[in-house]
Amino acid sequence: MTAPKTFHVKSFGCQMNVYDGERMAEAMAAAGYTAAAGEDADLVVLNTCHIRERATEKVYSDIGRMKKDRPDQMIAVAGCVAQAEGAEIVRRAKVDVVVGPQAYHNLPQLVADAAKGTAAIDTDMPALSKFGALPARRRVGPSAFLTVQEGCDKFCTYCVVPYTRGAEISRPFAAIVDEAKALVDAGAKEITLLGQNVNAWGSDGEDLGSLIRTLDTIPGLKRIRYTTSHPNDMTQGLIDAHRDVETLMPFLHLPVQSGSDRILKAMNRSHTRDSYLRILDRVRAVRPDIALSGDFIVGFPGETEAEFADTLSLVAEVGHAFAFSFKYSPRPGTPAADLPDQIAPQVMVERLARLQEALGRDQSAFNAATVGKRCAILIERPGRKPGQMIGKSPWLQSVVVENGPAIGTLLEVAITGSGPNALFGTPVLARAA
């Protein structure tokens, strides 16, 4: 096989996969490879998600299509599907490289090895060694991701993350601060801290709240966010940071999954409906304008109509600004996959539709309530129409402005209207970038 000269990384799934994809691209570029469009690249890296069955099967579908369109194209499978299935991917799909999420710093060498004619596989899970081996951050957009914590010790009965990402590990405090400074030097105005359980981060006697306070002192860093959190790790120190740190945006993504205590116990979520709601009360007490986001699963094995109604009532009580919702997907090797009383697919479809209708109603209401407010938006990209620019509000809403300033500008706007997926704003006063 001819050694590739160009590459393309295609990421699926969560924000951590987006971060990992960016880091893989940086590692490949540092090794002398050139980025290219997917159809033109000599090598395509599929950075995969294993959370739901459909996502996994889509990877195999993409591989089949790519092999048909470009039989000479080298294919690497990275991420959680690579970690879960390992050599099986080579047997089933005849790909060239398989690399897990803790080993992708070795991707350039694996590609070079595969070019010699034998598939290269690395699914080792060493503790954090990849970060020290990755190249320095050089150029990023106005909003950048920064992984601070990986893995999960919670072992929710439906979830594969502990098996594909490993145990909870926190990156060292100093390394995170150094990377944050490098991101700001490379152009970032906003940093989102990432982790499977990001609020479980702890290092050198510091917790996530104190880390956020330190990052707040970095000159040029205008905004801080974090995701995804677990209710059991929502400490008072982190809640107090929402009160005290101006750069910490008023947005909290805190998955609950169900409104039924029995289902939560079966999921091994280790929180209750009431304890979840009390956390939200504490956060709202210090930051009344906070936007709340969540995750929901419908159709967990044994879920009754009454227990699903508990989820709908929790949604009505919270009033989420945004939420992700999914049908339960049995993942091989997880305890829930072997539970009795698996819910019929048509029942899950119907329940998901009802849940999404309620969540959509709340999102529309939250957006409508923003109309008339003034806020700063961070301009991130052009809009669909000539002259339009799109920026993010403090509450993570997309805001469209006409004749907006350059990407990376913080712009004061008055919110003048809301649609299903975006707000509309009129510039009031540009802030110093």
Side-chain angles (χ1 to χ4, degrees):
M1 177 180 292
T2 303
K5 296 181 180 180
T6 60
F7 73 94
H8 177 77
V9 179
K10 180 178 181 181
S11 291
F12 304 82
C14 66
Q15 295 99 326
M16 289 191 72
N17 265 21
V18 175
Y19 173 88
D20 289 347
E22 292 172 352
R23 301 298 269 148
M24 280 186 260
E26 291 166 355
M28 293 296 290
Y33 298 88
T34 302
E39 62 272 15
D40 299 325
D42 302 328
L43 163 72
V44 172
V45 182
L46 299 176
N47 186 28
T48 61
C49 173
H50 195 54
I51 293 296
R52 282 169 290 281
E53 182 179 11
R54 183 174 297 178
T56 303
E57 291 306 314
K58 188 178 188 309
V59 173
Y60 285 107
S61 176
D62 279 0
I63 293 170
R65 176 185 51 77
M66 291 162 58
K67 284 185 170 294
K68 181 179 179 180
D69 294 344
R70 282 279 308 274
D72 61 327
Q73 195 171 53
M74 181 181 283
I75 299 173
V77 178
C80 292
V81 172
Q83 187 67 42
E85 303 203 6
E88 174 65 14
I89 304 174
V90 176
R91 186 198 67 79
R92 178 176 169 182
K94 304 296 188 294
V95 300
D96 304 286
V97 174
V98 176
V99 59
Q102 299 293 3
Y104 64 70
H105 57 294
N106 295 325
L107 179 60
Q109 184 58 55
L110 294 169
V111 170
D113 292 344
K116 298 174 184 177
T118 303
I121 302 173
D122 189 346
T123 54
D124 287 345
M125 298 183 75
L128 299 176
S129 63
K130 67 181 179 188
F131 292 104
L134 290 167
R137 312 304 300 270
R138 297 191 181 278
R139 185 178 180 183
V140 298
S143 183
F145 293 132
L146 197 171
T147 290
V148 302
Q149 179 272 343
E150 291 195 301
C152 183
D153 294 341
K154 303 299 190 286
F155 287 93
C156 298
T157 56
Y158 54 82
C159 186
V160 297
V161 167
Y163 312 103
T164 59
R165 289 277 185 170
E168 289 181 3
I169 301 173
S170 295
R171 292 182 63 189
F173 178 87
I176 294 169
V177 175
D178 286 346
E179 186 171 343
K181 291 177 179 177
L183 287 169
V184 173
D185 290 343
K189 301 291 179 63
E190 173 183 279
I191 291 177
T192 300
L193 308 177
L194 299 179
Q196 265 81 36
N197 291 307
V198 67
N199 56 343
W201 179 86
S203 171
D204 303 319
E206 308 285 353
D207 64 7
L208 188 65
S210 56
L211 174 64
I212 287 170
R213 292 176 188 271
T214 299
L215 298 181
D216 178 53
T217 66
I218 297 176
L221 180 57
K222 306 295 186 181
R223 293 181 164 190
I224 301 170
R225 302 183 188 271
Y226 62 92
T227 195
T228 292
S229 301
H230 192 285
N232 281 22
D233 296 314
M234 202 70 200
T235 66
Q236 190 60 47
L238 179 55
I239 292 172
D240 289 345
H242 278 281
R243 178 193 63 205
D244 300 334
V245 180
E246 184 178 355
T247 54
L248 180 58
M249 293 295 96
F251 185 92
L252 174 62
H253 182 69
L254 193 64
V256 59
Q257 307 300 359
S258 174
S260 160
D261 282 344
R262 191 192 73 81
I263 293 296
L264 289 172
K265 185 175 181 180
M267 289 177 166
N268 195 35
R269 285 293 291 170
S270 65
H271 62 85
T272 65
R273 174 195 180 102
D274 183 69
S275 68
Y276 177 81
L277 292 173
R278 299 293 74 77
I279 292 168
L280 300 188
D281 288 344
R282 288 162 57 201
V283 175
R284 280 172 161 157
V286 302
R287 192 68 198 256
D289 67 334
I290 198 154
L292 297 172
S293 173
D295 289 351
F296 294 90
I297 295 172
V298 303
F300 187 82
E303 182 189 63
T304 66
E305 179 62 27
E307 287 164 341
F308 173 67
D310 289 339
T311 296
L312 291 179
S313 69
L314 182 142
V315 166
E317 185 170 351
V318 172
H320 293 83
F322 184 78
F324 298 97
S325 54
F326 310 97
K327 294 178 293 183
Y328 167 72
S329 177
R331 308 308 296 128
T334 60
D338 296 323
L339 288 176
D341 301 321
Q342 298 285 324
I343 305 300
Q346 63 269 25
V347 174
M348 288 197 280
V349 168
E350 187 270 339
R351 287 180 183 172
L352 183 63
R354 289 160 60 194
L355 174 61
Q356 290 181 339
E357 180 181 7
L359 293 170
R361 182 176 61 246
D362 288 347
Q363 180 176 341
S364 295
F366 183 86
N367 287 344
T370 313
V371 176
K373 293 183 178 180
R374 288 174 54 164
C375 65
I377 64 172
L378 179 61
I379 302 296
E380 293 185 347
R381 67 185 191 277
R384 292 182 178 179
K385 298 179 181 179
Q388 284 185 340
M389 299 298 288
I390 297 177
K392 282 293 195 304
S393 77
W395 306 283
L396 208 61
Q397 302 146 305
S398 293
V399 182
V400 180
V401 294
E402 302 292 339
N403 302 314
I407 290 172
T409 302
L410 272 170
L411 179 70
E412 192 82 12
V413 299
I415 304 300
T416 57
S418 67
N421 301 306
L423 303 176
F424 301 92
T426 299
V428 176
L429 177 66
R431 294 184 176 182

